Amino acid sequence: MLGRDEFMHRLPEIRCPSLVIHGSADQAFDLATANGLAAALGDCRGLVVIDGAAHAPNTTHPEPVNRALREFLERTP
């Protein structure tokens, strides 16, 4: 991760609908970073914070993540 190319400046180029999912106990990225990611994306439709989840909420909290994804897909044409 430390040696990867910086990509944040390119987020506005992503113009498809997107959703940011963030774990409230994520120690790698704080909520401010998740908010910045959501704000920088070209067509972000929301930020969902999964209570108690760490950096990989899809593996530790699949039910709320799947619910958020389902709702996002249902309201996105």
Side-chain angles (χ1 to χ4, degrees):
M1 296 270 305
L2 295 176
R4 74 169 192 251
D5 292 338
E6 177 57 41
F7 62 87
M8 294 292 281
H9 69 280
R10 299 199 61 194
L11 291 176
E13 297 174 28
I14 300 173
R15 300 193 185 279
C16 63
S18 58
L19 175 69
V20 175
I21 299 176
H22 178 74
S24 67
D26 190 334
Q27 294 182 1
F29 298 102
D30 60 13
L31 184 56
T33 301
N35 278 313
L37 177 67
L41 285 163
D43 188 13
C44 185
R45 303 288 175 95
L47 167 66
V48 175
V49 177
I50 306 297
D51 189 43
H55 189 65
N58 58 314
T59 59
T60 60
H61 294 70
E63 293 85 8
V65 170
N66 289 339
R67 184 172 39 255
L69 288 171
R70 190 177 311 107
E71 291 170 2
F72 167 74
L73 292 171
E74 287 173 349
R75 70 177 185 265
T76 303

